[in-house]
Amino acid sequence: MLRVRLTPNAAAQKICGCFDDADGEEYLKISVTAVPEKGKANKDLIALLSKKLKLPKGAFKIVSGETDRYKKLEISGNVDMIVQTLENLTE
């Protein structure tokens, strides 16, 4: 399970690092250029993560937060490889 704080309509698509919310939950901060209409920002989010993690788009499923900035994604794949890649991207 990956928690993401998505910023749509940004100047560039990028993974910005980690972010702790008021409850102490850790989120991966990601910006996408798409507007938050009709799932466009969610599609950009999945496309960006797919590219960075070298996984097919079908490996990602938004479990909660479909219309919210705060999302939970389920990712199918090698957990150790995913964690290592995400750590390298956020350093």
Side-chain angles (χ1 to χ4, degrees):
M1 196 67 67
L2 175 67
R3 291 194 271 320
V4 172
R5 182 184 184 276
L6 184 66
T7 302
N9 208 21
Q13 296 198 149
K14 61 183 177 179
I15 296 176
C16 305
C18 294
F19 161 80
D20 291 334
D21 72 357
D23 297 327
E25 296 284 338
E26 188 174 30
Y27 288 82
L28 186 62
K29 212 170 162 186
I30 299 179
S31 299
V32 295
T33 56
V35 293
E37 295 174 353
K38 300 179 184 173
K40 292 177 185 175
N42 290 338
K43 287 179 185 173
D44 267 13
L45 168 65
I46 290 173
L48 177 65
L49 286 172
S50 173
K51 181 179 176 183
K52 296 290 186 182
L53 296 174
K54 296 179 176 77
L55 293 170
K57 291 177 186 173
F60 300 89
K61 178 183 175 189
I62 297 177
V63 177
S64 68
E66 190 81 29
T67 59
D68 192 5
R69 283 181 183 262
Y70 295 92
K71 302 177 183 305
K72 288 185 183 176
L73 283 82
E74 184 178 297
I75 305 172
S76 302
N78 181 323
V79 174
D80 293 332
M81 185 276 306
I82 292 168
V83 169
Q84 183 63 43
T85 304
L86 286 171
E87 285 176 353
N88 291 339
L89 290 172
T90 58
E91 289 180 344

